[in-house]
Amino acid sequence: MAPHGDILFIIKSQYGSFTKAEKKVAGLILNDPAAVMYMSITDLADACQVGETSVFRFCRDLGLKGYQSFKILLAQSVNKDAAAQLPQSRAIEDEDDAAAIVEKLAALHTEALRETSLLNPPSAFVQAVDWMINASKIHFFGAGSSFITALEGYNRFLKIEPKVSVSMDTHMQTMAAALMQPGDAAVIVSYSGSTRDMADIAQLLQRRGVKVICMTRFAKSPVSAAADLVLLCGAQEGPLQSGGVAARISQLYLIDILYHEYFHRDPARFQHNNELTADAAAAKLY
């Protein structure tokens, strides 16, 4: 299947799964995409000091037929309106004042949302909601900071749908996964896709015949390998930025899209449920 969205974002999302030679190719492309756009496959291989077969395999790993298909997508990315391109990194420096922090974080979070929208085709959300609508149970899973997003997803859907559930720790999540039935739906939130507990749960759900929807930064990971569908978040985190707000915003954006697509499947019923839960919550206010 041909990739959807900006090819540079797709390369970044799959970078961790590339071989050593393929990472050389990816690094040069990301560093100077405009120059690569005019290179032959031999030129690119020579510049990266790898064989032409490594470049071809890199293109195939991206879901493309070959190098020429890759160059077409690369040209589309490079030729986009420059005004729409935000800086890839706006690190907060020690000398930044409040105004600079406000501007940099606004740009960072906006870019995270933009990347997320580019990385996911609308058909992915339609498919995910098809499974969720038809499921007898929908369970949200996550560990660490990603559990906060999973909990927010549960809270969001609970206002309209009683069949959703969430468990508070990974031991309880494992037990919940073991009792899910074929055709049920699971939403696993894992930025890295490499958390051992989430990978084990994803594999257990796969064996149980549950439809697994994974929200992650990386298209290829232990969790996504066991998923039926992967939704990619656009925020880029370094090792010292785990649990960053930009990643959370991207994940919540994905949750929000699923919620609205879900709501539109039966608006009369879900609006009624929303009014019931809103009235119940309102009774707790002075």
Side-chain angles (χ1 to χ4, degrees):
M1 180 182 295
H4 169 90
D6 191 308
I7 193 66
L8 297 176
F9 297 152
I10 293 168
I11 291 171
K12 287 188 287 185
S13 74
Q14 296 188 14
Y15 186 86
S17 68
F18 293 145
T19 65
K20 184 176 180 180
E22 290 170 338
K23 285 180 178 178
K24 290 183 179 180
V25 177
L28 194 147
I29 292 167
L30 293 173
N31 185 59
D32 196 354
V36 174
M37 185 172 63
Y38 298 101
M39 290 182 178
S40 67
I41 189 171
T42 302
D43 293 335
L44 181 57
D46 289 345
C48 298
Q49 296 183 325
V50 300
E52 292 182 18
T53 54
S54 294
V55 178
F56 182 74
R57 185 169 57 246
F58 168 82
C59 296
R60 293 300 296 267
D61 286 348
L62 292 174
L64 300 170
K65 292 182 179 180
Y67 185 65
Q68 197 60 34
S69 298
F70 163 75
K71 285 180 63 175
I72 292 171
L73 290 180
L74 182 63
Q76 291 172 352
S77 295
V78 172
N79 291 331
K80 282 180 178 178
D81 184 2
Q85 302 295 325
L86 294 175
Q88 294 297 310
S89 176
R90 293 220 175 176
I92 305 299
E93 306 292 345
D94 291 342
E95 62 272 16
D96 285 342
D97 59 13
I101 292 172
V102 169
E103 179 183 358
K104 287 185 175 183
L105 289 180
L108 178 67
H109 297 162
T110 300
E111 175 66 4
L113 290 174
R114 191 179 75 87
E115 286 197 27
T116 302
S117 69
L118 288 170
L119 286 168
N120 298 283
S123 59
F125 300 105
V126 173
Q127 179 63 83
V129 171
D130 283 347
W131 292 334
M132 295 169 75
I133 285 286
N134 293 323
S136 297
K137 179 189 296 183
I138 304 168
H139 200 94
F140 287 85
F141 296 86
S145 60
S146 290
F147 174 72
I148 299 173
T149 305
L151 185 60
E152 178 58 30
Y154 164 74
N155 177 65
R156 190 89 165 98
F157 276 86
L158 184 61
K159 293 177 171 63
I160 63 169
E161 179 57 84
K163 67 182 182 183
V164 297
S165 57
V166 71
S167 302
M168 296 303 295
D169 64 39
T170 54
H171 292 283
M172 297 173 67
Q173 290 180 40
T174 300
M175 290 187 286
L179 295 177
M180 294 186 75
Q181 299 296 316
D184 285 345
V187 180
I188 300 181
V189 185
S190 176
Y191 178 86
S192 69
S194 299
T195 306
R196 182 179 297 276
D197 285 333
M198 290 301 101
D200 290 344
I201 286 172
Q203 292 162 10
L204 173 57
L205 290 167
Q206 185 183 52
R207 293 194 298 272
R208 295 290 297 167
V210 176
K211 293 298 184 182
V212 179
I213 302 158
C214 173
M215 295 183 180
T216 182
R217 170 63 180 174
F218 302 100
K220 294 184 179 180
S221 68
V223 176
S224 58
D228 296 281
L229 187 148
V230 176
L231 298 175
L232 296 171
C233 62
Q236 183 71 26
E237 283 189 348
L240 301 179
Q241 298 172 310
S242 179
V245 174
R248 190 85 46 77
I249 288 173
S250 296
Q251 293 168 345
L252 291 174
Y253 175 46
L254 294 174
I255 292 287
D256 209 26
I257 295 172
L258 291 177
Y259 172 85
H260 283 285
E261 174 63 21
Y262 195 97
F263 191 100
H264 287 162
R265 299 300 180 90
D266 194 347
R269 178 165 73 92
F270 294 139
Q271 180 59 33
H272 176 66
N273 289 351
N274 193 43
E275 290 170 358
L276 291 176
T277 55
D279 289 344
K284 298 295 183 180
L285 301 175
Y286 286 105

